[in-house]
Amino acid sequence: MEQGLGSDSVPVSGSDDKSRVLNVKPLRCLVPIFPSNPGGMSSISSPQASPFVCVPPAGPFPPGVSPVFPFVIPTEQQQNPQTPFAAPLNQAGPSIPSPVPITSFRTPTVQTNGTIGSSKRSSKGSARGSSQRKTKSGNMTSPHDVDIDAVANDFLTSFNLVRFEPAKLSDGDKESVRYLIMAYNLLRRRIAQVEDSEEATPGVTRRPDLKAGSILMNKKGVRTNMTKRVGAVPGVEVGDVFFFRVEMCLVGLHAPIMGGIDYMSFKISLDEEPVAVSIVSSGSYEDNDEDGEVLIYSGQGGVLRRDGNLMDQKLEKGNLALEKSLHRGNEVRVIRGVRDEASPTRTAKVYLYDGLYKIVESWVEKDKSGCNVFKYKLVRGAGQPEAYTLWKSIQQWKSSDSTSRVGVILPDLTSGAERLPVSLVNDVDHEKGPAHFTYFPTLKYPEPVDSRQPSSFSCSCRDGCHSNDLNCPCIQKNGGYLSYTSLGVLLSYKTLIYECGPSCLCPPNCRNRVSQAGLRVRLEVFKTKDKGWGLRSWDPIRSGAFICEYAGDVIDTSTKESGNQDSYIFDATRTCEPVELMPGNADDSQKIPFPLVISAKEGGNVARFMNHSCTPNVYWQPVLRDESYLHIAFFAINHIPPMKELTYDYGLVQSGKPEPRRKNCLCGSLKCRGFFY
DNA sequence: TAGATTCAGAAGTAT
DNA sequence: ACTTCTGAATCTAGT
């Protein structure tokens, strides 16, 4: 068991002094360069304070340093001086690049194809979008008093730039489904971010999921798989995960926004009769699942009414459709709703697409209160990939020390260094573990933290930073918004995120310290078939969620020969192929402040096991803490099902820099460029 | 802190 | 117009 990883390879559990295991390599040769702009940052950093090359966020950059864009940003929409909150921000610190406010992206002239907000929804008496919200807050003009419709319009304007093929409206494919889900989540998170910065109205439930859903549902040419069908839905694979019901509507997996049974009418000679096409089993009825391949599903209706009366279920609508499907023998898609364990909110749910089932039996039961309830027994079709059963296995691994599982080498390769264990598994061959390395969970700068001067930009939010507090300097640095949701999900993509740092007075659980709070999902290092060791997650990961940072030793690139021969190098100066065309509120003026190269050869965390892919599901994001500590944080690009390998794009070396040895890429994607460094 | 309850919510179906 | 296995906020019962 301890052949590959000697007992000395892992730090002793509970050792607080992580620096003990750190092989410190001081950076002496970098000449400090400081912002030349008057005021602002120059006042906070003395030449002795930081050994790093500091450049103003707007550049210029030292040779070889380039801005990093994980996503393409529409360029024509930048720099509009008409910004409602440019003034307070500029007062706070002239050196802080003025954020591009979302209102500056407004495109009032572009009314060509169906702008939202004005047409359908407002005319239908539900004109609650912007006007109602404004009256709610009265005369108090919030600094964030931003029109949600405008946000959505900006978003859709960018969205229209996508090469979206109309053929996919009726028949989707994997790429369009993936893109649509990602677009939905970006919009939803953006709306949530804007709403969150406004003061909460007591008693009003915010539903950014429905708002974003409504906008995309009503936008022509956005949805896919719009024609209902029996059986598989193109572009949706068994095992795919969804985090909101609306997502499944958008991609045509399950049309009812709340209803559990989706059905369509099927022509039989002259008559039409309904057949069920998909069901969602959320566990709030008394469904029970015997072994994961069988589902006992309760019909709809008959639940406790508002008037207190209980009713028998009727053989109509969905119930009738299920009955007809039993006799017809057609396949029914099954979606299993389960609790999202990674989410701190206890009610959060994940929907697993569990593939095709057939109804084999139906009967009527009396429930606890004596009312008739229809029951349907569904059996899963053979030969489909594991989905719900896999989820059930994982629940078992979590509860039973995973001893039952084959291939487990170590239950926790971090020996407690992370807040969650990380298992080490090999079920493909006999290798007993990766080469020796020291596990530590964070990035190691060669200079101790306490020798640095506290930044005057640190905050004093003792209860944690909140996005409606515009006096918080950490909020200001992020363009006036908090970058994360309460779930630790990144709200919008930026080239640089400012987190609270060591000198901030906010607590460790501050919402602006997401990348410092440690792992939130259960990860495991596993042996891949052909790419050595890799990383994957037991928990489903929602789009935008923080996964981990890249831990390792910060490398002095001026003395070391670019350090690129080390296969555990993370080079933040590399550029990435744009992942997707992203709607832009990314701020062009914010750049990576200094070149950062990390080596995780001697030591590091789970990130060192993440493989390269040309179509990745994870991307990296520079995060600056306290103006001087740059870190690399990894976030999910789209929803990631359990046990799917986590990959990111290793990027391309800047032209002019020495190119490391190329390796053959085995990612297997259509867009594979054939190699990586 | 975790479970239970409340309540607005929007699309699809049926009337 | 009506239904609906949502989902967030609030309330309640427990330690």
Side-chain angles (χ1 to χ4, degrees):
Chain A
M1 177 140 86
E2 47 276 272
Q3 284 164 8
L5 278 172
S7 55
D8 58 338
S9 67
V10 188
V12 181
S13 160
S15 66
D16 291 319
D17 184 12
K18 303 281 184 337
S19 61
R20 270 191 320 126
V21 296
L22 171 65
N23 199 6
V24 177
K25 302 177 184 97
L27 291 182
R28 292 218 178 82
C29 303
L30 284 180
V31 182
I33 304 170
F34 293 94
S36 53
N37 52 336
M41 276 165 65
S42 58
S43 63
I44 57 139
S45 42
S46 66
Q48 286 77 27
S50 170
F52 300 102
V53 178
C54 256
V55 292
F61 295 89
V65 183
S66 73
V68 181
F69 297 108
F71 301 100
V72 171
I73 295 142
T75 49
E76 76 279 9
Q77 294 182 330
Q78 315 282 336
Q79 279 109 28
N80 185 333
Q82 304 298 321
T83 91
F85 39 85
L89 283 166
N90 283 348
Q91 283 162 14
S95 72
I96 300 172
S98 294
V100 181
I102 46 179
T103 44
S104 72
F105 292 118
R106 279 187 104 145
T107 48
T109 49
V110 185
Q111 298 281 341
T112 46
N113 42 357
T115 51
I116 57 92
S118 53
S119 57
K120 190 178 173 185
R121 293 188 303 141
S122 53
S123 64
K124 213 187 156 196
S126 59
R128 49 175 59 243
S130 54
S131 52
Q132 207 178 62
R133 232 187 13 262
K134 272 168 189 152
T135 51
K136 221 181 286 170
S137 54
N139 300 331
M140 292 248 301
T141 326
S142 156
H144 284 308
D145 199 4
V146 184
D147 196 341
I148 295 283
D149 291 336
V151 173
N153 265 330
D154 301 335
F155 183 89
L156 290 173
T157 309
S158 315
F159 191 78
N160 286 342
L161 301 173
V162 180
R163 307 168 302 242
F164 200 88
E165 294 154 40
K168 289 173 183 169
L169 290 175
S170 54
D171 278 312
D173 57 25
K174 203 175 163 184
E175 194 51 34
S176 55
V177 165
R178 201 179 73 95
Y179 185 80
L180 186 48
I181 297 291
M182 190 162 58
Y184 168 76
N185 279 280
L186 281 166
L187 178 60
R188 183 183 57 74
R189 277 141 57 188
R190 185 77 186 106
I191 291 173
Q193 183 183 40
V194 172
E195 284 190 342
D196 191 49
S197 65
E198 296 172 355
E199 70 276 25
T201 322
V204 174
T205 310
R206 285 164 166 165
R207 294 294 298 265
D209 61 319
L210 291 181
K211 242 171 224 150
S214 172
I215 288 165
L216 291 187
M217 293 284 273
N218 289 313
K219 175 79 178 167
K220 281 199 172 69
V222 168
R223 297 171 62 181
T224 188
N225 293 315
M226 284 188 72
T227 47
K228 282 196 184 185
R229 74 198 68 211
V230 172
V233 172
V236 181
E237 294 178 358
V238 176
D240 280 355
V241 290
F242 302 88
F243 286 80
F244 292 91
R245 288 288 298 260
V246 179
E247 295 174 348
M248 297 187 282
C249 308
L250 283 168
V251 301
L253 182 64
H254 187 84
I257 199 164
M258 295 176 73
I261 306 169
D262 191 9
Y263 56 98
M264 60 186 284
S265 61
F266 212 80
K267 282 198 189 70
I268 303 173
S269 58
L270 293 174
D271 281 336
E272 290 195 349
E273 69 174 33
V275 292
V277 294
S278 66
I279 58 172
V280 176
S281 167
S282 297
S284 52
Y285 282 62
E286 291 170 26
D287 305 338
N288 56 46
D289 54 295
E290 288 148 25
D291 61 356
E293 303 270 329
V294 174
L295 171 66
I296 310 295
Y297 189 78
S298 303
Q300 63 187 189
V303 287
L304 189 64
R305 296 315 228 220
R306 263 185 293 277
D307 56 13
N309 289 329
L310 294 160
M311 295 168 64
D312 286 341
Q313 290 188 346
K314 294 181 192 135
L315 194 57
E316 59 182 22
K317 299 180 189 172
N319 298 346
L320 180 62
L322 287 168
E323 194 65 35
K324 297 285 184 191
S325 287
L326 163 64
H327 297 118
R328 182 166 287 279
N330 66 286
E331 293 167 319
V332 177
R333 298 185 294 272
V334 168
I335 297 120
R336 306 266 196 165
V338 297
R339 244 196 70 179
D340 181 9
E341 305 253 331
S343 160
T345 51
R346 297 154 320 260
T347 46
K349 266 184 192 158
V350 193
Y351 297 95
L352 305 171
Y353 174 47
D354 199 29
L356 303 175
Y357 281 63
K358 275 190 181 176
I359 308 171
V360 295
E361 201 181 337
S362 75
W363 64 93
V364 179
E365 257 178 45
K366 296 276 184 197
D367 70 356
K368 276 176 278 185
S369 49
C371 293
N372 285 340
V373 175
F374 289 99
K375 295 280 182 177
Y376 301 90
K377 182 177 182 181
L378 294 98
V379 177
R380 193 166 191 253
Q384 302 182 84
E386 266 199 309
Y388 181 62
T389 49
L390 177 62
W391 182 83
K392 287 190 77 168
S393 303
I394 291 169
Q395 300 310 301
Q396 214 160 24
W397 302 342
K398 282 183 179 175
S399 61
S400 68
D401 282 342
S402 68
T403 41
S404 54
R405 195 174 162 208
V406 292
V408 178
I409 298 167
L410 282 174
D412 181 15
L413 73 90
T414 79
S415 299
E418 300 276 9
R419 65 189 285 272
L420 291 173
V422 177
S423 46
L424 177 66
V425 178
N426 182 355
D427 54 10
V428 299
D429 59 30
H430 297 296
E431 193 179 340
K432 288 295 181 190
H436 175 276
F437 77 105
T438 306
Y439 196 100
F440 49 83
T442 66
L443 189 59
K444 297 288 185 189
Y445 272 90
E447 189 184 338
V449 169
D450 50 15
S451 77
R452 293 172 179 243
Q453 291 196 348
S455 161
S456 63
F457 282 97
S458 58
C459 74
S460 51
C461 310
R462 296 194 177 273
D463 297 327
C465 302
H466 199 276
S467 50
N468 60 16
D469 178 14
L470 283 189
N471 295 320
C472 170
C474 302
I475 299 288
Q476 288 171 359
K477 281 183 284 190
N478 285 305
Y481 289 99
L482 204 47
S483 298
Y484 304 109
T485 69
S486 51
L487 299 180
V489 168
L490 190 63
L491 282 163
S492 52
Y493 298 112
K494 293 184 165 188
T495 48
L496 185 59
I497 285 178
Y498 295 87
E499 281 194 4
C500 295
S503 58
C504 291
L505 296 180
C506 58
N509 65 350
C510 172
R511 258 175 71 178
N512 200 31
R513 293 180 183 271
V514 164
S515 77
Q516 309 163 39
L519 303 182
R520 297 203 89 113
V521 289
R522 265 306 232 119
L523 298 173
E524 86 173 17
V525 174
F526 73 107
K527 186 72 190 287
T528 63
K529 286 200 176 66
D530 50 6
K531 293 183 290 187
W533 297 90
L535 187 67
R536 63 190 177 192
S537 168
W538 287 9
D539 295 314
I541 305 176
R542 64 174 72 205
S543 168
F546 170 72
I547 295 169
C548 63
E549 80 160 301
Y550 198 99
D553 296 299
V554 175
I555 294 297
D556 182 351
T557 47
S558 65
T559 54
K560 271 211 160 185
E561 209 23 65
S562 83
N564 270 342
Q565 306 313 318
D566 175 353
S567 62
Y568 288 104
I569 280 288
F570 185 95
D571 185 349
T573 65
R574 289 187 195 170
T575 54
C576 282
E577 289 285 318
V579 176
E580 295 287 345
L581 181 67
M582 273 300 120
N585 60 330
D587 189 340
D588 196 16
S589 63
Q590 294 178 328
K591 312 270 204 269
I592 180 173
F594 50 82
L596 176 67
V597 178
I598 305 165
S599 170
K601 189 177 167 73
E602 303 299 322
N605 66 347
V606 286
R608 71 197 291 279
F609 294 107
M610 236 189 301
N611 286 314
H612 164 86
S613 172
C614 301
T615 26
N617 49 18
V618 172
Y619 88 100
W620 56 274
Q621 163 80 57
V623 174
L624 194 60
R625 303 177 193 162
D626 247 11
E627 301 282 343
S628 44
Y629 292 102
L630 186 63
H631 292 251
I632 300 300
F634 290 93
F635 296 90
I637 292 172
N638 28 40
H639 300 331
I640 305 174
M643 304 300 273
K644 187 141 190 157
E645 182 174 7
L646 308 180
T647 54
Y648 70 98
D649 189 340
Y650 282 9
L652 295 167
V653 173
Q654 275 297 103
S655 59
K657 292 189 83 178
E659 199 179 278
R661 190 171 53 85
R662 288 187 176 191
K663 300 172 188 125
N664 286 333
C665 183
L666 299 169
C667 77
S669 83
L670 289 173
K671 295 174 183 167
C672 181
R673 57 177 176 253
F675 70 92
F676 67 95
Y677 304 118

